[in-house]
Amino acid sequence: MATMKLAAIAVALLLPLVAGVASADEFDFFYLVQQWPGSFCDTQKGCCFPDTGKPAPEFGIHGLWPNYAKCRPAEPELVDDVEMVVDGVPAIGRHHRRQKCWPEYCNDGNQLNPWEIKDLVAELDSHWPTLSCKSGRSMEFWSYEWKKHGTCSGMDQHGYFAAALELKKRHSLAAILADAGIVPSDEESYFLSSIRDAIADATGAVPNLECNRDAFGETQLFQVYQCVDRAGKKLVDCQLPMQGMCRDRAKLPVF
């Protein structure tokens, strides 16, 4: 009887630990996130080109991110006189419950093995380049994205990157916008509704949009979020609202 009680206590103690670990199966859809390089670079921080040189003036992959259809409460945390952000609002106190809207870092031990994606490197250099000044090596960017998001995708390393590349190659966002008269310009601005409608009409799925600010504080289109089914193959309408720092109009700066 004592042994059974000890076993029950051990299981009870382990359950919270297990519950706090993200599962590769616990998501509802993917975001394929592509960023406009002109908007990445045209900020006060600027950008740096990768070792392979200046990327083409095309939207580049930021990541393929598993996401929840509805945010869920994270594990409660005890905090003593430490400022936390709850739903975007700073708060001080104890027992604050954070919101978790996507899984991440599902297997820290599963590091990206460059050998696994060796046949994809040339395509990744073209379609998924880094613009960060921390390092000119895109492999470090891909390794981070794999560790944070890819390990939660339910795919192996090669399958994850191949899926993102295949999704991106189906539609050139820059060409879609150009066909709608939305072209890079340092003077013109465009209605966000026109950008969204052009992408939706061409791809058959409504995207979400994210904006940032240039060095003068003007709004510019930064990233396009395309929603993808759990298999990582089919574009679907994005259902979750996204403010994304956007206003009615945004620029698409020249790159």
Side-chain angles (χ1 to χ4, degrees):
M1 182 65 70
T3 302
M4 292 178 64
K5 287 183 177 180
L6 288 174
I9 292 172
V11 170
L13 290 172
L14 283 171
L15 281 175
L17 298 176
V18 174
V21 176
S23 168
D25 296 323
E26 291 183 356
F27 68 95
D28 300 296
F29 67 94
F30 286 101
Y31 273 132
L32 174 67
V33 185
Q34 298 185 62
Q35 61 189 13
W36 177 246
S39 299
F40 186 104
C41 295
D42 192 17
T43 63
Q44 289 183 343
K45 291 184 178 180
C47 70
C48 296
F49 299 152
D51 295 340
T52 50
K54 182 179 179 179
E58 173 61 274
F59 284 83
I61 298 174
H62 185 171
L64 184 63
W65 303 344
N67 212 79
Y68 300 138
K70 183 178 180 181
C71 296
R72 56 189 66 180
E75 289 298 309
E77 297 178 0
L78 292 177
V79 179
D80 287 317
D81 297 327
V82 175
E83 184 177 26
M84 300 176 63
V85 175
V86 181
D87 295 331
V89 180
I92 297 177
R94 297 170 60 88
H95 298 286
H96 291 299
R97 186 176 292 272
R98 302 186 186 205
Q99 293 290 303
K100 187 174 180 65
C101 299
W102 56 82
E104 59 185 21
Y105 300 109
C106 293
N107 184 354
D108 283 347
N110 187 356
Q111 303 288 331
L112 179 62
N113 180 0
W115 185 259
E116 293 291 333
I117 59 171
K118 64 183 186 301
D119 61 316
L120 301 176
V121 168
E123 286 186 272
L124 290 168
D125 279 333
S126 296
H127 297 287
W128 199 330
T130 182
L131 290 170
S132 171
C133 292
K134 293 180 180 179
S135 170
R137 295 182 293 274
S138 292
M139 185 65 72
E140 293 185 9
F141 183 22
W142 308 331
S143 296
Y144 172 79
E145 289 296 313
W146 166 255
K147 185 176 181 180
K148 182 174 182 179
H149 301 287
T151 56
C152 302
S153 68
M155 305 178 189
D156 62 23
Q157 294 181 5
H158 189 278
Y160 174 74
F161 289 98
L165 288 169
E166 175 59 29
L167 287 164
K168 181 188 186 300
K169 287 187 292 183
R170 289 181 196 170
H171 305 283
S172 167
L173 295 180
I176 289 171
L177 295 181
D179 287 343
I182 301 167
V183 296
S185 170
D186 290 330
E187 291 80 31
E188 292 291 330
S189 64
Y190 304 96
F191 285 108
L192 268 297
S193 58
S194 299
I195 295 173
R196 186 180 293 106
D197 290 346
I199 296 172
D201 290 344
T203 65
V206 178
N208 279 333
L209 305 176
E210 180 184 4
C211 301
N212 66 1
R213 302 288 184 267
D214 65 15
F216 302 99
E218 295 191 73
T219 302
Q220 51 189 10
L221 178 64
F222 177 39
Q223 298 194 128
V224 175
Y225 288 64
Q226 293 174 282
C227 293
V228 185
D229 67 4
R230 289 186 74 254
K233 295 182 179 180
K234 180 182 177 182
L235 293 179
V236 297
D237 287 342
C238 289
Q239 303 292 336
L240 296 181
M242 177 181 288
Q243 186 65 30
M245 292 181 64
C246 290
R247 297 174 181 170
D248 289 341
R249 300 177 69 97
K251 286 186 173 182
L252 190 68
V254 173
F255 179 66

